[in-house]
């Protein structure tokens, strides 16, 4: 029986690798190996992985290749080597909350990958619920988005004469992993309305 590979998110639970054999003589010894390439040559013996099953570690991102070797102390049976299986560990988006300032009627486009400190894997997309508006009803154009987008973008109109705020709760995800939600605070300044004052001058001669 051959082991089965799996694909998981960082620190997720990978499928337990298991091997079994039929016939043979003597007491079997098991040793699992891990490799950085799909090869059963040059692998590193995993300390303590000496039973017929092994739970792969998933605390590092990357593609890892595993195989098992079964040997017999007596009986003259040859070593048995399992097939090579891949365990792929994917990154999870990790994004800090942020704040941006715009003017009323100006579209904004926020891409979390533009900020240092965020973990934004390739093909990360974003969805969000209906934003909270402060003060209530002071902004139009703030809507939810259920179709994954490559960035957070909308056009907001401040209907008041003072600053208003839209708070988005955004969920980042890749095709394989969903990250924790983060908040995007969009500060929307009011449209500038210059006052025009008519002044009458008297010309003296």
């Amino acid at each position: 029986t051959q082991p089965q590979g799996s694909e998981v998110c960082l620190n997720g639970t990978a499928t337990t690798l298991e091997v079994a054999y039929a016939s043979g003589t003597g007491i079997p010894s098991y040793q699992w190996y891990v490799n950085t390439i799909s090869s059963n040559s040059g692998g590193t013996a995993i300390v303590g992985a000496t039973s017929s099953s092994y739970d792969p570690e998933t605390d590092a991102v990357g593609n890892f290749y595993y195989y098992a070797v079964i040997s017999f102390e007596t009986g003259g049976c040859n070593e048995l080597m399992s097939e090579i299986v891949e365990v792929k560990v994917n990154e999870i988006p990790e994004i800090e909350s942020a704040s941006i300032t715009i003017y009323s009627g100006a579209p904004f486009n926020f891409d979390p990958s533009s900020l240092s400190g965020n973990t934004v894997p390739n093909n990360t997309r974003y969805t969000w619920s209906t934003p909270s508006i402060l003060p209530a009803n002071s902004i139009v154009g703030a809507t939810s988005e259920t179709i994954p987008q490559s960035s957070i973008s909308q056009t907001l109109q401040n209907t008041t004469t003072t600053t208003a705020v839209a708070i988005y709760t955004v969920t980042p995800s890749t095709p394989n992993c969903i990250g924790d939600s983060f908040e995007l605070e969009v500060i929307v300044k009011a449209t500038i309305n210059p006052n025009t004052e008519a002044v009458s001058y008297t010309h003296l001669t």
Side-chain angles (χ1 to χ4, degrees), residues 184-204:
L184 174 63
E185 179 185 69
V186 181
I187 300 170
V188 186
K189 292 188 174 182
T191 301
I192 298 176
N193 293 314
N195 294 321
T196 301
E197 182 180 353
V199 178
S200 176
Y201 292 95
T202 301
H203 181 68
L204 301 177

Side-chain angles (χ1 to χ4, degrees), residues 92-100 108-113 118 120 124-132 143-154 166-174 177-186:
I92 301 175
E94 295 182 11
I95 300 172
E96 297 292 331
S97 295
S99 178
I100 61 175
F108 75 88
N109 187 72
F110 179 71
D111 182 1
S113 66
N118 289 332
V120 185
T124 297
R125 296 292 183 266
Y126 308 94
T127 57
W128 56 88
S129 55
T130 302
S132 300
T143 59
S144 63
E145 182 58 76
T146 58
I147 299 175
Q149 303 292 312
S150 59
S151 63
I152 302 101
S153 179
Q154 288 194 327
I167 301 174
Y168 292 75
T169 299
V170 184
T171 301
S173 63
T174 67
C177 303
I178 299 176
D180 291 335
S181 297
F182 66 94
E183 286 191 351
L184 174 63
E185 179 185 69
V186 181

